[in-house]
Amino acid sequence: MLPTLRQMQYLKLLSEHGSFSRAADACYVTQPTLSAGIQELEKILGAPVVDRARSGVILTAAGQEAVRRATSILAQTEDLVQAARGAGQPLAGRFRLGVIPTVAPYLLPRALPMLRDQFPKLRLFLREDLTQRLIASLKAGSLDAALIALPYDMTGLDWAHVEHDELLAAAPANHPMAMQDKVDPASLDGQDVILLEDGHCLRDHALAACGLEPPKGLGDEESFAATSLPTLVQMIGSGLGVSFLPAMAVQAGLAENAPVTVRPLATAQSSREIVVAWRAGSSRAAEGRLLAETLRAA
């Protein structure tokens, strides 16, 4: 006998919720039904997959390995179902797209009306999050594709190009940078550089483009960091330091109402690549490429 997809789904939900009752609620069955399914799975595998404790459910080593493999199997099964439903109808039905915060507010307003017009049967579900969490969700099968920025570790993923987004230097309006046509990255060394907080890929892209080290403050911690691009612009305009902004955000009006000077960088490597990524081997690869093509046009 082999495990059923339902049993694997029970185990996956049990690992996510840590409780038989919450896992049962999540898959709309009774707790005895879910418990019986887990017991049957253990008989088939010939090993316990969970330890039942007062503090909750703890996966055994066999259970952790089973969840890892079940997650991949369930994701491929979901791909199969969606591919069958959308056969001959690209970008029709549900499509779960993750988008990083430094792209979502600036590209999507232009792209969504075009997607609605070209693919009226598309039901797009958007999730905005940091790159690391989006890729984890993509590999786990809870997203179909993700709109992210490279360079980034893309092991196990395929992707299609959308656009190159130039990084621009930004400073308070009265900064000497305002007198320059282009800014030499070396001239920023030693200045108070404000970046997005750790976890935003734009932070790493900006540092790499300019060959700068992460800014340090007292106790080897940064003196200032921002949680979002609008906050970063306000901090720059208040005279707290200089930073970098993506061109797509500036073109969308990010810095229009702040006393900020924006200038291009005098380097050939001052851009990030925006791509649509999906799991390698996914049946939705063709839709991922079509989505990237549509976003390129937007």
Side-chain angles (χ1 to χ4, degrees), residues 79 82-83 86 89-92 94-98 107 115 118-119 122 124 138 143-148 154 157-163 274-297:
D79 281 347
Q82 293 299 327
Q89 301 182 61
L91 288 177
R94 185 184 70 175
F95 195 92
R96 301 162 299 178
L97 178 67
L107 177 57
L115 285 170
Q118 293 188 20
F119 308 102
L122 172 66
L124 189 63
L138 196 56
L143 287 177
D144 298 307
L147 187 59
I148 59 176
M154 301 294 280
L157 301 175
D158 290 329
W159 64 93
H161 171 79
V162 174
E163 69 171 302
I274 310 301
V275 303
V276 173
W278 57 87
R279 292 184 304 280
S282 170
S283 62
R284 313 210 75 172
E287 290 177 294
R289 293 189 182 91
L290 182 57
L291 178 61
E293 181 181 330
T294 306
L295 293 175
R296 244 188 339 265

Side-chain angles (χ1 to χ4, degrees), residues 1-269:
M1 293 180 63
L2 295 175
T4 66
L5 292 174
R6 194 62 167 163
Q7 290 165 350
M8 288 188 281
Q9 186 182 42
Y10 287 164
L11 181 61
K12 181 174 180 291
L13 289 171
L14 194 56
S15 72
E16 293 172 354
H17 293 277
S19 159
F20 276 89
S21 59
R22 290 194 295 270
D25 290 340
C27 56
Y28 305 102
V29 298
T30 64
Q31 185 173 332
T33 297
L34 185 136
S35 182
I38 294 295
Q39 289 175 357
E40 184 63 26
L41 176 62
E42 291 177 323
K43 289 180 182 178
I44 294 171
L45 297 179
V49 294
V50 295
D51 287 331
R52 297 159 178 82
R54 288 185 178 181
S55 58
V57 172
I58 302 173
L59 291 182
T60 64
Q64 292 174 357
E65 178 63 15
V67 167
R68 186 183 70 80
R69 293 175 181 267
T71 298
S72 176
I73 293 169
L74 290 169
Q76 292 180 35
T77 304
E78 175 86 6
D79 281 347
L80 170 64
V81 172
Q82 293 299 327
R85 289 176 177 173
Q89 301 182 61
L91 288 177
R94 185 184 70 175
F95 195 92
R96 301 162 299 178
L97 178 67
V99 192
I100 56 175
T102 57
V103 168
Y106 313 111
L107 177 57
L108 292 184
R110 304 196 310 267
L112 292 179
M114 185 177 293
L115 285 170
R116 184 181 60 239
D117 291 342
Q118 293 188 20
F119 308 102
K121 294 184 179 180
L122 172 66
R123 292 191 300 122
L124 189 63
F125 291 81
L126 295 172
R127 179 188 302 171
E128 186 176 321
D129 208 338
L130 299 180
T131 306
Q132 182 178 5
R133 290 198 284 266
L134 290 181
I135 287 181
S137 296
L138 196 56
K139 291 181 176 179
S142 54
L143 287 177
D144 298 307
L147 187 59
I148 59 176
L150 302 184
Y152 202 86
D153 180 9
M154 301 294 280
T155 303
L157 301 175
D158 290 329
W159 64 93
H161 171 79
V162 174
E163 69 171 302
H164 287 289
D165 185 27
E166 184 181 3
L167 297 180
L168 307 172
N174 59 356
H175 193 277
M177 183 188 297
M179 305 299 294
Q180 304 175 35
D181 292 329
K182 289 189 175 183
V183 176
D184 182 356
S187 68
L188 303 178
D189 194 19
Q191 297 198 39
D192 292 326
V193 178
I194 313 169
L195 297 170
L196 292 177
E197 63 182 349
D198 199 13
H200 286 272
C201 57
L202 180 61
R203 167 194 178 90
D204 298 326
H205 296 161
L207 291 173
C210 296
L212 298 176
E213 294 295 324
K216 299 294 182 181
L218 296 176
D220 285 339
E221 293 184 359
E222 293 181 31
S223 53
F224 290 105
T227 57
S228 68
L229 284 178
T231 300
L232 181 61
V233 168
Q234 294 305 314
M235 294 172 75
I236 298 167
S238 297
L240 297 179
V242 299
S243 190
F244 308 92
L245 301 175
M248 72 161 57
V250 174
Q251 292 164 3
L254 175 67
E256 281 183 357
N257 299 316
V260 171
T261 293
V262 179
R263 293 290 184 270
L265 290 164
T267 172
Q269 304 298 322

